[in-house]
Amino acid sequence: MLDFMNEAIIEAKKAYKLGEVPVGAVIVKDDIVIARAYNMREKLKDPTAHAEIMVIKTAAKVLENWRLNGCHMYVTLEPCPMCAGAIVQSRISKIYIGTFDEKSGCCGSILNLLQNKYLNSDIEVSWMYNRKCGLILEEFFKEKRKGKK
């Protein structure tokens, strides 16, 4: 499990190098990474180009199916409302989260869209609290405030 989170961290580092908010995600099926992505909002000039959306789109193409049943997502930061909605719609079975998002997290911090009876969703959520996931975000925003990114 931790190895897959490290793969998501590698993706987050790619975003960091591009000046994007460093969030990375991978989707795993049968213990094999089938898709990987990182935030690309700035590069693509697309407000929906979050790591989670990008990785879901890639996994759906790989599987030739929008239903990602049996797939697990590893993401470095707790998904926002948009991404949590996409996760619910894609039918991902389980999500592993590296760190919480106290401002817009929708997997338990602010709201919980993944385990919500009104949305008929009960996706298994596993909080990994990987310190590397939080540190890369802290470093990025510290540099951003100093005007380096």
Side-chain angles (χ1 to χ4, degrees):
M1 284 186 223
L2 195 56
D3 291 338
F4 295 130
M5 184 58 74
N6 284 332
E7 292 297 314
I9 292 168
I10 289 168
E11 294 303 307
K13 289 178 180 177
K14 292 175 185 176
Y16 186 98
K17 287 179 185 173
L18 294 174
E20 300 275 357
V21 175
V23 177
V26 297
I27 291 182
V28 175
K29 179 141 177 124
D30 301 324
D31 291 325
I32 297 168
V33 174
I34 62 165
R36 54 184 68 239
Y38 51 88
N39 274 354
M40 295 182 68
R41 290 190 311 172
E42 300 299 329
K43 181 177 181 177
L44 298 178
K45 309 292 186 240
D46 179 352
T48 68
H50 289 202
E52 300 94 327
I53 301 293
M54 306 297 284
V55 79
I56 287 170
K57 287 180 175 184
T58 301
K61 285 180 185 172
V62 168
L63 297 177
E64 298 181 343
N65 194 336
W66 64 268
R67 291 176 191 88
L68 303 181
N69 298 325
C71 291
H72 296 180
M73 178 186 287
Y74 292 77
V75 62
T76 58
L77 179 65
E78 180 182 6
C80 71
M82 174 183 67
C83 294
I87 291 164
V88 169
Q89 291 299 313
S90 70
R91 313 292 197 266
I92 286 172
S93 300
K94 185 170 184 175
I95 181 170
Y96 296 86
I97 303 169
T99 194
F100 66 93
D101 182 347
E102 60 191 31
K103 293 183 179 170
S104 63
C106 284
C107 301
S109 290
I110 304 300
L111 296 172
N112 191 346
L113 298 180
L114 300 189
Q115 298 168 327
N116 188 303
K117 67 179 181 178
Y118 299 107
L119 299 175
N120 194 30
S121 97
D122 190 25
I123 297 168
E124 189 176 348
V125 176
S126 180
W127 292 90
M128 296 186 77
Y129 295 113
N130 186 310
R131 185 68 185 131
K132 291 178 188 175
C133 296
L135 283 174
I136 193 170
L137 287 160
E138 288 174 25
E139 186 178 318
F140 176 81
F141 286 110
K142 188 183 295 182
E143 286 186 16
K144 191 116 173 124
R145 283 188 291 276
K146 289 181 181 178
K148 292 182 180 178
K149 284 271 174 207

